[in-house]
Amino acid sequence: MNTMDTLVVLEEVAASLRESAEEIGSPATGYDEGRLTAYYEALAMILTQCRVVGIEPGDIGLAGFSPDTLLRGVKLAA
């Protein structure tokens, strides 16, 4: 697998996670709050690892995206 293939796969995964998270209605139910937290964790990890290896968020379709936006209004466990 070459670098371009890897970026395409990463972009598809990131886009799918973001779309699924953004489709959750507001206000979120308890179940959906858990799902949003999981999407947040996955997308935050992707962005962190991209920073580590020098991949720009725009290279995987996440330019200007902040996972924090997914958690607005979600009550996180203490």
Side-chain angles (χ1 to χ4, degrees):
M1 185 179 288
N2 66 38
T3 303
M4 285 305 297
D5 291 340
T6 304
L7 284 175
V8 168
V9 169
L10 185 56
E11 182 177 11
E12 290 299 318
V13 169
S16 177
L17 290 169
R18 182 179 179 178
E19 284 176 30
S20 294
E22 291 175 342
E23 288 175 357
I24 295 173
S26 182
T29 65
Y31 173 77
D32 286 335
E33 287 178 2
R35 290 177 54 218
L36 282 171
T37 302
Y39 290 130
Y40 166 85
E41 292 288 336
L43 286 161
M45 179 62 70
I46 288 170
L47 289 171
T48 297
Q49 293 305 311
C50 283
R51 270 193 302 278
V52 168
V53 299
I55 297 172
E56 293 294 320
D59 293 343
I60 60 165
L62 294 178
F65 174 73
S66 171
D68 294 340
T69 61
L70 300 175
L71 299 181
R72 289 193 182 135
V74 172
K75 299 174 190 171
L76 299 177

